[in-house]
Amino acid sequence: MKIAIIDYGAGNIQSIKFAVKRLGFDAVLTDKAEEIKAADKVIFPGVGEASSAMKMLKSTGLDKVIPQLTQPVLGICLGMQLMCEYCEEGDTTGLSIFDAKVVKFNTSVKVPQIGWNQIYDLKSELFKGIQEKEYVYLVHSFYVKECEETICSTEYGVEYTSAIKKNNFYGVQFHPEKSSKAGERILENFLKLES
C-alpha cells in the first residue's frame, strides 16, 4: 500500500511517519502532486498557524490538488482545520472540503487546550473498536464548530467537532500518533479503509 504524508513545512510529520511504521506500513513524505495522487491513502498533518500554512500550500499548488483527491484522506489537527471553509486564525480561507468554520476558544477556558480529553458520539468506521468517551491527546487554540459532517465530539468549555467526514475526506482534531492505543487503532482503521 502506498501512503503519502503531505509535506508542506507544517510540523509533526516524523511522529506520524513512525506511527505508520509501527503499524507495519511505510509512508513517503512528499509535496509532489503526482506522488500524492498516486497514493492509496493520504495523510494531511499540521501543526502551526493557519494563514502561513495556507500560503505554503498555495505556493506549491497543493491547495488545488488536495480537494480533488479521490482516495481516503486524513487531516490531522491543523490539517483538518485547513480542510474547512474558513479559519478565524489569520482570517484564513480554507480548502472548503468541509462546510465548517474554525473559531477560537473563548476566554472562559485555558487556551490552548493541551492534554487528554474524551471523544464521544462516534459515528464512522474510523472508530471501529473504539469505546465511547475514549481519551485522546489534543493541542489546539481553535476548534471546528459542530456541523452536519461531525463524526465525533469533545467538550472543552463548549462542545466541538473532534472528527469530521465528507465522502473520502476525514479530519481529526486530536493527534492519533500521540494518543496511545486508541490513536493507533484509529490510524490503523484509516489505513484499512476501502479506497
Side-chain angles (χ1 to χ4, degrees):
M1 177 165 58
K2 284 193 203 138
I3 302 163
I5 300 172
I6 298 174
D7 185 2
Y8 64 110
N12 85 321
I13 286 172
Q14 288 305 330
S15 55
I16 293 166
K17 199 172 178 189
F18 292 138
V20 168
K21 193 148 192 70
R22 280 196 303 273
L23 291 168
F25 300 101
D26 279 318
V28 60
L29 294 179
T30 182
D31 61 359
K32 294 179 178 62
E34 292 316 309
E35 220 167 2
I36 293 166
K37 287 179 190 167
D40 300 302
K41 301 286 185 313
V42 175
I43 297 173
F44 178 32
V47 169
E49 193 272 329
S51 63
S52 46
M54 203 64 205
K55 279 191 192 102
M56 292 289 293
L57 290 175
K58 285 180 175 168
S59 72
T60 55
L62 290 175
D63 63 315
K64 301 281 190 286
V65 173
I66 296 166
Q68 303 298 320
L69 296 173
T70 54
Q71 68 274 63
V73 178
L74 179 66
I76 296 174
C77 195
L78 181 61
M80 164 176 149
Q81 294 182 358
L82 293 175
M83 290 159 84
C84 296
E85 61 185 355
Y86 175 77
C87 184
E88 265 184 14
E89 186 178 30
D91 192 24
T92 306
T93 301
L95 299 174
S96 296
I97 293 163
F98 301 121
D99 304 318
K101 293 192 169 38
V102 184
V103 296
K104 189 163 189 170
F105 282 114
N106 68 38
T107 51
S108 71
V109 290
K110 190 170 180 242
V111 178
Q113 175 185 199
I114 299 177
W116 297 85
N117 204 337
Q118 292 176 309
I119 52 174
Y120 54 87
D121 290 345
L122 312 177
K123 305 183 199 54
S124 164
E125 62 274 32
L126 200 61
F127 300 112
K128 190 175 168 192
I130 300 293
Q131 302 291 320
E132 284 284 329
K133 301 207 169 162
E134 183 62 79
Y135 280 90
V136 293
Y137 188 79
L138 299 121
V139 183
H140 61 123
S141 301
F142 293 79
Y143 67 90
V144 176
K145 287 183 160 187
E146 296 268 281
C147 63
E148 275 180 37
E149 297 154 344
T150 299
I151 55 168
C152 95
S153 301
T154 295
E155 168 77 39
Y156 187 68
V158 63
E159 189 170 75
Y160 68 86
T161 297
S162 44
I164 195 166
K165 174 186 188 289
K166 183 179 186 180
N167 304 323
N168 56 307
F169 292 96
Y170 297 78
V172 292
Q173 182 60 63
F174 51 87
H175 288 275
E177 77 283 7
K178 294 177 181 166
S179 294
S180 194
K181 285 271 174 265
E184 198 167 84
R185 178 65 192 263
I186 291 164
L187 201 52
E188 185 176 24
N189 287 345
F190 170 72
L191 295 175
K192 288 181 171 173
L193 290 172
E194 294 298 316
S195 289

